[in-house]
Amino acid sequence: MATNVAQFLCLTDNYGVLLHDSASGATASIDAPEAEPILAAARHHGWRLTDVLLTHHHADHIQGVPRLKESFPELRVCGPAKEASRIPFLDVLVGEGDFASVGSLRAKVIETPGHTLGHVAYHFEEDEIAFCGDTIFSLGCGRAFEAPYEVLWSSLMKLARLPRETQLYCGHEYTEANGRFALTIEPHNPALKGRIEEVAKLRAEGRPTLPTTVAAELAANPFLRAEEPTIQAAVGMPGADPAAVFAEIRSRKDRF
Ligand code: ZN
Ligand code: FE
């Protein structure tokens, strides 16, 4: 019995991901940015799509669904109950603490509002994998489009409390640009500098910088490190509430 994950580029910088359960033969697409590459990846691996797990309502995460349903009419589409009014084709509505299944695999649903109000992440605890959509990126985080910065901060802290070895799959390949901003906040963080070197090498070879891990992000991602004295000093907010420090860093990134 094995869990297989295939990650591939969609559109310009979105990631498509297929999660395959060899025990049952079930295969889920995590989000659906673009149908063609998803169908091609499924064909390539000889997997039949059975499920879609959606993280949030943005077009670059859901627009492939209708075309996938044409190819697989039995496809079961799961997504955040709180965004049901904005995602017309949901079959299964989930929220905090629910479980989403893909064959014999089970994911705990974690509500991670901020980027959008109903955003969810899917944590496959046994396999130590989490699909985070646009909540966290490597060395960065999503924009707080639909909620105050503090709401996104709480969501990031939920992901930061997952086991350290958890592999985080993110919605976009933004790592290189995120690294440039992160350096403005923590220019002397050795973990950050090491990650940036690693990322430059991966990108030069045309390889993805994801998945990342909770441990790697805790060490290098300034958005998870708002409690660090060095970061608080860097933004001129020593001793401040970490949520406020996070808000300052996020608003600087918005203008970067
Ligand atoms: Zn988004
Ligand atoms: Fe996105």
Side-chain angles (χ1 to χ4, degrees):
M1 304 312 113
T3 306
N4 305 278
V5 183
Q7 179 184 247
F8 45 91
L9 214 55
C10 289
L11 305 170
T12 319
D13 53 33
N14 280 76
Y15 278 119
V17 180
L18 293 181
L19 175 73
H20 175 72
D21 171 28
S22 65
S24 63
T27 302
S29 175
I30 314 301
D31 285 332
E34 189 182 15
E36 257 334 302
I38 295 170
L39 293 170
R43 264 196 311 273
H44 173 79
H45 291 278
W47 299 340
R48 211 189 135 67
L49 275 189
T50 52
D51 297 87
V52 179
L53 304 182
L54 298 175
T55 60
H56 66 295
H57 69 79
H58 285 159
D60 65 311
H61 295 257
I62 70 170
Q63 66 199 2
V65 170
R67 173 79 186 78
L68 296 181
K69 272 206 161 175
E70 279 172 30
S71 298
F72 298 96
E74 308 291 293
L75 197 66
R76 197 172 59 147
V77 183
C78 169
K82 288 182 177 166
E83 296 188 354
S85 64
R86 309 183 74 164
I87 309 175
F89 31 67
L90 289 183
D91 302 306
V92 182
L93 309 182
V94 293
E96 184 74 18
D98 287 343
F99 286 90
S101 63
V102 178
S104 64
L105 310 178
R106 260 172 32 124
K108 191 179 241 180
V109 176
I110 305 171
E111 290 188 350
T112 55
H115 178 67
T116 64
L117 265 180
H119 195 295
V120 297
Y122 298 91
H123 181 211
F124 289 82
E125 287 173 289
E126 254 178 61
D127 290 294
E128 301 184 306
I129 296 172
F131 297 102
C132 305
D134 288 356
T135 298
I136 188 170
F137 299 120
S138 184
L139 305 183
C141 70
R143 279 179 182 261
F145 281 127
E146 297 183 6
Y149 292 124
E150 292 71 18
V151 173
L152 180 56
W153 166 251
S154 304
S155 295
L156 287 168
M157 288 300 98
K158 281 167 121 175
L159 298 176
R161 285 192 295 268
L162 296 178
R164 291 174 57 83
E165 51 289 345
T166 308
Q167 305 220 31
L168 304 175
Y169 284 83
C170 314
H172 293 267
E173 180 59 65
Y174 288 161
T175 315
E176 224 165 14
N178 286 341
R180 285 193 284 277
F181 172 76
L183 270 184
T184 68
I185 304 291
E186 259 196 318
H188 306 299
N189 178 347
L192 174 59
K193 289 198 275 189
R195 175 67 173 147
I196 285 172
E197 273 175 35
E198 177 189 32
V199 164
K201 194 159 168 281
L202 286 169
R203 296 312 288 156
E205 294 165 1
R207 292 160 63 193
T209 65
L210 297 165
T212 180
T213 63
V214 170
E217 295 310 311
L218 282 173
N221 186 331
F223 294 96
L224 298 187
R225 297 167 53 77
E227 283 170 273
E228 292 290 321
T230 46
I231 293 222
Q232 300 198 345
V235 297
M237 299 173 73
D241 177 358
V245 176
F246 167 78
E248 171 60 23
I249 301 172
R250 183 59 259 187
S251 71
R252 286 188 186 198
K253 175 72 163 41
D254 292 345
R255 301 186 303 262
F256 184 65

